[in-house]
Structure formats: structure tokens, C-alpha cells
Amino acid sequence: MPARLPDHTKQELARLSTIALPLIAAFLSEFLMFITTKMVVGQLGYLELAAVGISGDLTFEVMVILIGLLSIVGVLCAQAEGAGEKKRAGLAVRQGFIISTVIGVPAMVLIWNMDIVLVWTGQDPRVVELARPFLYFVTPSVLAVLYFSVLRSFVAALSRPKAVMYITVAAVPANYLLALLLVNGGFGIPALGLAGAGIAMTIVSWTMFILLLIHVYITDDLRGYGVFAGRWKIDMAVCREITVLGIPVAGLVVFEAGMFTVVSVLAGIINPETLAAYQIAVAWFGIPFVVAMGIAEATMVRVAHGVGQGNWQGARRSGMFGMACGALLLATMIVFPVGLTDTIISIFISEDDPGFGTVSVLATQFLLIAALFQVFDGLQAVAARALRGLKDSLVPLWIAGFGYWIMGICGGVLLAFVADMQGVGLMWGLAMGLFTTGVLLAIRFHRLTANRIIRQFHQAELKNTG
């Protein structure tokens, strides 16, 4: 007979799933917005795919870094919920909106001028020229994405993320159809090319934020947290806490996202075919990563709830269980890049494309390597957010710096350019970086929570004997 799960494991699985499943659907849908954009643009040619791929990657990484800083809003909301202090959660959301505006405006300036970065890094001039209109028209989406992330963290912290799921799932076909119309033209609208792809993403991003804002406003039990009731003024104590805890988190995301971005840039330096092949590989291994992100965010909420209640044993159990679930789920997904390689490639580039032969061979190699490292990519995502639930952000930053950049980037550069493995060497560098970071972050969580439980036990003994 199969072994029965212990009751506490069943309960943790149920609570984790309640938060994680809608978030997985939501994160997957957000990622698929970028994939569907690449699908539409890729039909124009491999140069257009490379242009939207690298400019979209850079834009996305800038926003992900800022979302990392803002994720502390979710930690504060989850701990406030665990402690039964609703108004404190609403205050954190309002300060999150203020900080989003402060950091979002400079980010828009950066993305608008991202073509300069492409020139500095030696990208093919044809790719740079094609990327410019996309960058210009995707820039206005930045504030919408940041505001949406604050509200998403809020509802996830309260274990009510279903509205986020519904909105983001609906956004995928909306973005695809709108991009198809604006890129290729139709119904009296001229073909706008890559500018149309940027316009589509901006329109859909603002629509998503407005819909979630309306949901929070009209839902009675969410209004009880006072998100809209309080005065919109800066609370320096809360802003300071978000910033102090969030900057190391943003730094960790810089190291993580920067690793993938640098690999994208290095692939472009090798040649446009390698860059296009890397974009196809990213399109796949981004999927298991965002699945892990749903589990990771849910794990962070569960850990933070435990900390807010003073239940460190429960917080540890939630973190370890989340890491195990993430690793096991991603291990089962290895069958897709291994068994469906040709299908994945055919989605993004036509066999009639002059670069198809070279791109498809490289993409096949990249996808097989990605299948090997995706489990550790998921592990590091869950472990990092479990630590975030403990408000531990500085040491994970240093772990990420070593894993992503020393093992990942430096190792990849040596393999690619010194050992002359080219794009394959860059991918093996990614594998080394993700393995190292995932294992070290998991060990960090294990030791921190074990020490805190032992300390709590000794304090209880001293209190009883005193």
C-alpha cells in the first residue's frame, strides 16, 4: 500500500497550493505575454526575433529588479496578516505605490535609451535599429507593471490571488491578438512592425493594473485593510524598512537577472544566430522558472505568516516543503525540452528562414543543457524567497554574487571564449551558477531556521525553570 502523507504535510500542501496554483497561472501568463510577442515578431525573421528578444530581455530584467525591491511589500503584508494587524498591511501597500513611482520614472528613462546599451555591447547594427521602436513604445508600461506587482503582492499575502490569475490569463490572448494586429496591420491599421509589439504590451499592462485595482477597491474584505482609506503621505519608517530590506533583494535579482542578460549580450556578440537560438532556449526555461516562482512566492508568504505568528517551526516546515515541491515539480518537466525540442524551435522560427539551419542546431544544444539546470533554477528561486520571508536578504545577496557571477558568468566566459565552446559554453556557465546558488541558499535557510528553533526552545526552558 502507498504510504499516507502525515496530516501536517497534507495541511501544508493544501495551504501552499491555495496560494501557489493561482500564482503559477498568473506568472506563467505574464511570461507567455513575452513569448507570444516573440512568436508574432519571429515570423518576420530571425533578426527581428533577436532584436525583440534582447531588448525585451533587458526591459524585463530592469522591471524584475525593481519588482524584487517591491516584493518586501508582500513580506510586510504577510507578517501583518499573521499578527492580525490589517491596517499595517494597507499602509505597506500605499508606501509600495509611492516607492514604485519614485523608482519607476528613472527606469522609464533607462529603457527609453536602452539602444545605447546595445550599441556599447557590440550588438549587430541591424538588431539595434530594429530594437529601437520596440523600446520606445514599451517604456510606458513600466509604471503599470510596478503598480500591478504591489497589488499582486498584497492579495497573495492574504492568500487570495485568484483575481490575479484571472486577469493575467485573459491578458495572454489579448496581448497576442493585439500584437498580431499592430505588428502586421489589418482592419485599417497599418503594419507597425516592432513598434506595434511595444504598443500592445503597454496597453495590456495598464489594463491589467486597472482591473486589479478595481477588484481590490470593490471587494469588501480587501477594503477592510485600509489600502484606500488612509492618507497618501510618506511614512518614512515603512519606506525605510521596504528600502533597507528591498535593496539587497534587488541586488540579488540584479545578479540573477544580470546573469541571463549578460549571457544574452554575449550570445549576440558571438553572432545573431547564437542570440536567436538563445532566445528560443530562454522561451523554454523561462516556463519552469515562472512555475517555480509561483511556488516561491507562496512559500515566502507561508514562511512570513509563521514568523508573524512567532511559529518558527512552522516557518521552517513551510520553507523546506516549498523547496522540495519546487524541485520535484521541475524535475518532472525535464521531459518537455528533451522530447519536444523540434516543436519548441518551430514555434519561433520558420524552416524557410535563411538562418534556420544554424539556429535550430544551436537551439537544440541549448535546450538540452537547460533541461539539466532547470531544477536548480527552481530551487534557488524558492530558497531565495523562503529566506526573504525571514527578512534575510544580505547574505543571500553575497551567495548570489558568488554563484551567478563567479561560477555562472566567469565560468561561462572561460568556456565560451577561452575553451572556444561558444554558445554551448555560455549555457554550461549558467548551469554551474544556478547549481551553486540553489544549493547554498537552501543550506542557508536550513541553518537559520534550525538555529532559531533551538534558540526559541532554550528560551522557553529558561522561562519555565525561572
Side-chain angles (χ1 to χ4, degrees):
M1 292 180 62
R4 292 183 59 188
L5 291 174
D7 288 341
H8 65 80
T9 302
K10 291 180 180 178
Q11 292 172 1
E12 185 60 41
L13 179 60
R15 289 167 181 160
L16 184 72
S17 299
T18 298
I19 308 170
L21 291 178
L23 285 179
I24 288 173
F27 290 143
L28 189 58
S29 298
E30 289 178 356
F31 181 73
L32 287 176
M33 286 177 59
F34 281 89
I35 299 303
T36 52
T37 299
K38 290 180 182 180
M39 289 169 58
V40 172
V41 170
Q43 298 308 308
L44 301 178
Y46 77 92
L47 285 172
E48 285 82 358
L49 174 60
V52 163
I54 192 168
S55 57
D57 282 352
L58 291 170
T59 299
F60 184 67
E61 305 309 352
V62 169
M63 291 192 284
V64 165
I65 290 165
L66 302 183
I67 290 170
L69 188 153
L70 294 169
S71 68
I72 298 300
V73 173
V75 176
L76 297 182
C77 289
Q79 291 193 357
E81 176 74 354
E85 300 178 4
K86 290 187 174 183
K87 298 299 182 183
R88 189 154 59 92
L91 176 62
V93 173
R94 293 197 299 277
Q95 301 312 302
F97 277 125
I98 293 171
I99 294 174
S100 296
T101 305
V102 171
I103 62 179
V105 173
M108 292 173 67
V109 175
L110 174 62
I111 291 170
W112 179 276
N113 294 285
M114 194 67 76
D115 59 315
I116 298 174
V117 176
L118 298 179
V119 173
W120 284 348
T121 55
Q123 301 303 304
D124 189 297
R126 296 170 295 174
V127 170
V128 176
E129 188 63 30
L130 288 168
R132 285 192 177 104
F134 175 78
L135 288 168
Y136 296 157
F137 286 100
V138 83
T139 295
S141 70
V142 172
L143 286 177
V145 171
L146 297 183
Y147 294 154
F148 183 84
S149 74
V150 171
L151 288 181
R152 181 180 62 201
S153 295
F154 170 61
V155 296
L158 307 183
S159 303
R160 300 170 192 173
K162 286 186 178 180
V164 175
M165 177 185 70
Y166 297 143
I167 291 169
T168 49
V169 168
V172 176
N175 181 75
Y176 175 74
L177 294 174
L178 191 57
L180 201 63
L181 174 63
L182 296 178
V183 169
N184 299 309
F187 300 100
I189 298 175
L192 300 176
L194 273 60
I199 294 170
M201 294 191 71
T202 293
I203 292 173
V204 172
S205 296
W206 276 102
T207 303
M208 289 169 62
F209 163 63
I210 291 169
L211 289 175
L212 186 56
L213 183 69
I214 291 171
H215 169 73
V216 173
Y217 184 78
I218 66 176
T219 304
D220 290 338
D221 53 349
L222 293 178
R223 283 174 62 87
Y225 288 81
V227 173
F228 304 99
R231 294 178 59 191
W232 286 78
K233 63 179 182 179
I234 297 176
D235 186 305
M236 291 306 299
V238 176
C239 285
R240 187 180 303 111
E241 185 171 18
I242 294 172
T243 304
V244 169
L245 293 173
I247 287 177
V249 171
L252 187 150
V253 178
V254 167
F255 287 143
E256 177 187 8
M259 177 176 65
F260 289 101
T261 302
V262 168
V263 170
S264 182
V265 170
L266 292 172
I269 290 173
I270 293 172
N271 54 54
E273 291 84 356
T274 301
L275 176 56
Y278 177 71
Q279 291 304 319
I280 294 172
V282 168
W284 161 251
F285 63 73
I287 292 175
F289 175 74
V290 296
V291 169
M293 279 287 291
I295 298 173
E297 291 290 322
T299 301
M300 182 186 76
V301 170
R302 293 292 303 142
V303 170
H305 276 174
V307 173
Q309 294 170 345
N311 181 8
W312 280 89
Q313 191 164 4
R316 172 182 169 81
R317 183 167 56 246
S318 295
M320 300 300 288
F321 186 77
M323 284 186 277
C325 286
L328 287 173
L329 181 57
L330 265 63
T332 65
M333 295 178 69
I334 290 175
V335 297
F336 294 104
V338 172
L340 299 174
T341 303
D342 292 340
T343 303
I344 294 171
I345 294 170
S346 66
I347 292 173
F348 297 96
I349 187 169
S350 169
E351 291 185 8
D352 298 329
D353 193 291
F356 177 81
T358 303
V359 171
S360 62
V361 170
L362 289 170
T364 299
Q365 296 173 326
F366 294 175
L367 285 167
L368 292 177
I369 298 171
L372 297 176
F373 69 60
Q374 69 185 40
V375 174
F376 296 98
D377 194 14
L379 176 62
Q380 61 85 23
V382 181
R385 282 153 187 82
L387 288 166
R388 202 172 301 172
L390 303 177
K391 292 186 176 180
D392 179 49
S393 56
L394 188 56
V395 173
L397 173 64
W398 295 112
I399 291 175
F402 172 74
Y404 296 142
W405 286 80
I406 302 301
M407 299 298 294
I409 295 299
C410 293
V413 167
L414 289 174
L415 291 174
F417 299 105
V418 178
D420 199 29
M421 294 173 66
Q422 301 293 298
V424 171
L426 294 176
M427 293 296 291
W428 279 119
L430 284 179
M432 291 190 297
L434 293 168
F435 173 82
T436 302
T437 307
V439 171
L440 291 179
L441 289 174
I443 292 172
R444 170 74 177 171
F445 182 85
H446 165 72
R447 289 181 175 175
L448 272 183
T449 51
N451 290 339
R452 189 58 188 254
I453 290 170
I454 292 170
R455 192 180 310 126
Q456 195 173 49
F457 176 76
H458 288 322
Q459 288 173 347
E461 277 195 329
L462 288 173
K463 185 177 179 180
N464 292 332
T465 56

